[in-house]
Structure formats: structure tokens, C-alpha cells
Amino acid sequence: MNRINIRFAILGFSLLLWGCEGYLDEKPNQNLVVVNTLADVRSLLDNSSVFNEQPVLGVLAADNYYLADAGVADLSVYQIGSYFWMDDPFQGDYVGDWISPYEQVFYANVALDALDKLDDNEGLGSAELRGEALFHRAYAYYQLLQYFAPPYKMAGGNDQLLGIVLKDSPDVNEEAFRSNLEECYRKVLDDLNEAVTLLPDFQLPKTRPSKVSALGMLSRLHLTLFDYQAAAATAREALELYPDRLDFREADENARFPFERMGKEVMYYSALLTVSFNRSSEVYVDTLLAASYWENDLRLPVYFDSVGPNRLSYTGRLSGTTGMFGGLSVGELELNLAEGLARTGDEAGAKAVLEEFFSRRIAGDEIPAVDFEGKELIQFILDERRRELIGRGLRWTDLRRINQEADYEITLEKSLNGESYVLEPNSVRYTYPIPDDEIVLSGIRQNER
């Protein structure tokens, strides 16, 4: 069955917790999703229009951009409510950030179920296909956890917190329930660890997962779990396997798209869901963030266009398109490695990583002096993460993590027509509500808001 027919079969339902009581009329017809051969599995997993997109809530909610008052009229209810952290941000609006990852989970489970029943007699590598499906499922679960479950707690007690719904089967009759947060993150960890053992070191196109991308995702996960030693180890292993490095001098600042799509810097390609906020002429880079870039910083003319006095628009996206990049990059893993080393006592190692990182991003020979120690060095790295990773949704995850440390916590503030909206560190509003329709149909418990 070709990927188009599979796509339409799955898109026949609008919510992806497919085992809901009271939702029988809208369950997917699993008989339409026919996977008879390994070639079918390959076609299923190569559906980049499903697997290689991810939530955009992190861009809306974080502090890297500000919205001019005039821009509100062009945004949907969901975008406005998410940007201002409103108590009821969605108000019944469509929430692709919830739907898209569960669509990916369903596809991945269909693939895994088929692989359990098929013999590898076609020479297509069933082990590698299994590794890809596990990666995709883990990637989707991780995204859901960043928005629809509370932050993983450094102090512990995560087995007492509600996570997300874990679906390990395409069975439409399974009951939906929320696992605890610890179980959810362990599931992501287990899927990624197994994927590392099954995937080839590298694959083209970069929409396909590889050992490099699984290790990179493990590094991102370990950072979220405050396991800084493991975050550094997996980042280092991925960087050693992946030889390409982009010197930002190679990027054409005058081109409409300064970065090549799936170019050297990209280790795994995924794009954020498209919303009007990302293309609005009334959305600008936070002024303090814009002013923080280094003198002779090659990222400034590559990332941004000046659109007025003290107004920058983020247009130079690593996706190489108008869409925002959300996948894994060399720069992210270098900063994961630097932070992991700094937090585990290897400050010299962290500084060496940063020196190499800056050598490809700063014009001339005067790279920023990294002469900090202890907490100041960690703050330096956190600030650099914000500069490097703008537009990827990662700032939201970083805020959920670092707000648990008094030395790094941040209060966010936004305004509209003179009215101020404030998000305090560790507020319950760092967890978004599950869409109301899903609560009604499945009966799962709603998040506190």
C-alpha cells in the first residue's frame, strides 16, 4: 500500500488516542492501514510529512520573541492563548502540537507490529526499520512531555506526577490512561537505547533516523533528566560519529535561505508545525537577546534581517526553508557536551568545546574569552544556548529545567496593549492543558492550570 493511501487512512480521525470510550465512530479503520511487506514498512517510515514535524508551542510560549500589538489580529485563538500563557489557551481550537505526535506514535506502532510478524527475506534490514520506528515513537513522546506533562523534577518524586498516555500498540480498543512521569521518560529512554543498537551510524536523507540522531536525542533527553554525565557522553559519541562541521563563513547572508536544507550542521531533520506567528511581520526577536550576540558574530547577519530600529526578524532558519528547524544539530550537541562537562567538574573540557564551537561562528581571530568558572561558566553556556538555538522550541524545555535552580531561574513577562502577562518560575502554566475534546472523549485527567 503506498504512503499516500496510508496517510489518508490515518488522517481519517482527528484525535490520536484511538482507544477512547465514546469515540467509536471516529476510530481509524485499521483494516485500511495494510502493511504486508518490509517495503511497506519502509514506505510508512519514510513519510516525512508525518514523522518530520513537531510541536511549535515552545516557540510561542518562550521569551525569544515579542509580538507587537498590531500582530494579534493575525493569530488564531490557540496562538494568542499559548503566547500569553492563558488559563484556557486553546478554547476548543485545533491543537496540532497534541495531534501530530500521537499520529507519529500510531504510525510507529503499526510499523513495529508489522515487523514482529514479518521475516527479513527482502534484504531491507528489519532491525534497522525497527530502530527507526522506535526512534520516531520516542521522539514523539519526548515532544508531548515538554508541553502536556509537568517538568521532570530534579528533586525527585516523578513517579507521583502525571505523564502522558503511552500507546505501545496500534490496537484501537486499548483503554487510554496517563502513565506517571517517571514511566514516560523511562519509556523514551528505553526506546532510544534500543534504537542506538539497531540503527546504522548515519543515513540519507537526514529525515531518516540514524545512530547519530538517536545518540543526539539521548543527549537532549539526559539533559532534561539532569543526568549531565550521560548528556555529555552521548553528545560526544554522536559528534565523534558525525564528521561534518559548518563554518558559518560558508553561509550566504545575502541569500533568501542562508543555510542549505539538510546541510552540514543538520544531524537529523525535523521542522516545527507551521503557524502564522512564525511568519508574521509583527513578531520580532527579543531586544535583549538580539543585543547579546557577540561582536563579529557570524550568526547575526545569517539568522536575522533588520526590519526597523532595534527590530530584528528571524529569517535565517537552519531548515533552509521558511519553516522553523526543530531537529538535531552539531551546535546543539556541542553545547550539550559543554554544559554536561561543566556541571560534572571538567571545566577545562567545557571551555575547549566552546572554543571550537566559537571558531566556526565568530569572524576574525577574537573569539569570546571563556574565563568563567563554576556557576558563571554554566550561566555563560545557558546564555549561549539561547543565542544558538533560537527558533527551535528548545528554550521552553531549557526554562522548565533551569527554573528549578535558584541561580538560573527566570521570570517571563509579555505585554499587550499596555497589559502585562507574567510567568513565574515553576508556575503550573509551564504545563499546557490537554485539549478539551480529548478529555471529554477519553476521560483522562486534565492538567492543573
Side-chain angles (χ1 to χ4, degrees), residues 292-297 299-300 358 362 368 380 384 387:
S292 75
Y293 283 84
W294 305 103
E295 186 177 0
N296 299 325
D297 197 322
R299 291 170 297 187
L300 262 173
F358 283 128
I362 306 298
F380 181 92
E384 196 55 49
R387 284 186 283 270

Side-chain angles (χ1 to χ4, degrees), residues 24 60 113 117 148 174 202 210 256 354 386 420:
L24 296 175
L60 293 166
D113 185 64
K117 302 170 184 175
F148 302 106
E174 279 189 349
F202 189 67
S210 64
R256 185 187 179 198
L354 290 169
R386 191 182 180 200
S420 180

Side-chain angles (χ1 to χ4, degrees), residues 5 37 55 99 102-103 109 114 156 158 160 165 203 206 229 249 274 331 357 373 379 393 396 410 431:
N5 289 336
T37 67
I99 294 170
Y102 273 115
E103 183 181 1
N109 283 335
N158 293 290
Q160 302 301 308
V165 176
Q203 291 204 85
K206 292 182 179 181
Q229 184 173 2
R249 297 170 183 83
T274 299
F357 170 86
E373 296 180 349
Q379 185 64 66
W396 184 251
I410 298 172
T431 304

